[in-house]
Amino acid sequence: MSILIKPIITEKATANSELRNCYTFSVKTKANKVEIKKAVEAAYGVSVEKVRTINVRPDRSTKFTKTGIQHGKTNAVKKAIVQLAEGEMIDLYSNM
C-alpha cells in the first residue's frame, strides 16, 4: 500500500507550491515524516528537504429528523506539506 493517497490541489496549496516550492498531500494516518519523505522521493524522483504533518480531526454533526436525532462524523485525515530542494519541481497536472 502506498503512503501517499492523493495530492491536495486548492488555492492555498497551489500558491504555496508556486511561491515556496511546498506541495501538499493527503497521506495515511499512521505514516510518519520519514516514510512520507521516502514515498515522495520514490514516486516523483525529487529530493525532499522538509516534511510537515497536520492531523485534521473528524467533524461531528447532529441532524434532527422525524425519526429522531441522527449523529454522524467524517473521517480523520492526515496532511503532509513537503518542501522540495531548490530547483526541484513536481508537475501534478501531467498525464502519466
Side-chain angles (χ1 to χ4, degrees), residues 18-29:
E18 292 172 356
L19 299 176
R20 296 186 184 90
N21 206 19
C22 295
Y23 295 86
T24 308
F25 295 93
S26 178
V27 296
K28 301 272 185 184
T29 55

Side-chain angles (χ1 to χ4, degrees), residues 47-62:
S47 58
V48 176
E49 281 187 357
K50 187 189 292 187
V51 177
R52 292 175 298 203
T53 58
I54 304 165
N55 284 312
V56 181
R57 64 174 169 76
D59 290 331
R60 299 187 185 278
S61 64
T62 304

Side-chain angles (χ1 to χ4, degrees), residues 4 6-7 25 39-46 89-92 96:
L4 301 175
K6 64 181 179 180
F25 295 93
V40 170
E41 288 176 345
Y44 295 102
V46 294
M89 189 177 123
I90 297 175
D91 188 13
L92 297 175
M96 293 189 179

Side-chain angles (χ1 to χ4, degrees), residues 28-93:
K28 301 272 185 184
T29 55
K30 299 290 184 181
N32 60 30
K33 292 182 180 186
V34 176
E35 293 171 342
I36 294 167
K37 180 178 179 178
K38 289 179 183 176
V40 170
E41 288 176 345
Y44 295 102
V46 294
S47 58
V48 176
E49 281 187 357
K50 187 189 292 187
V51 177
R52 292 175 298 203
T53 58
I54 304 165
N55 284 312
V56 181
R57 64 174 169 76
D59 290 331
R60 299 187 185 278
S61 64
T62 304
K63 297 175 186 169
F64 299 97
T65 63
K66 289 184 206 177
T67 58
I69 299 174
Q70 302 292 320
H71 299 284
K73 71 176 185 76
T74 59
N75 292 330
V77 180
K78 189 171 195 173
K79 296 180 187 178
I81 301 172
V82 178
Q83 184 172 1
L84 302 182
E86 193 70 34
E88 299 280 337
M89 189 177 123
I90 297 175
D91 188 13
L92 297 175
Y93 301 107

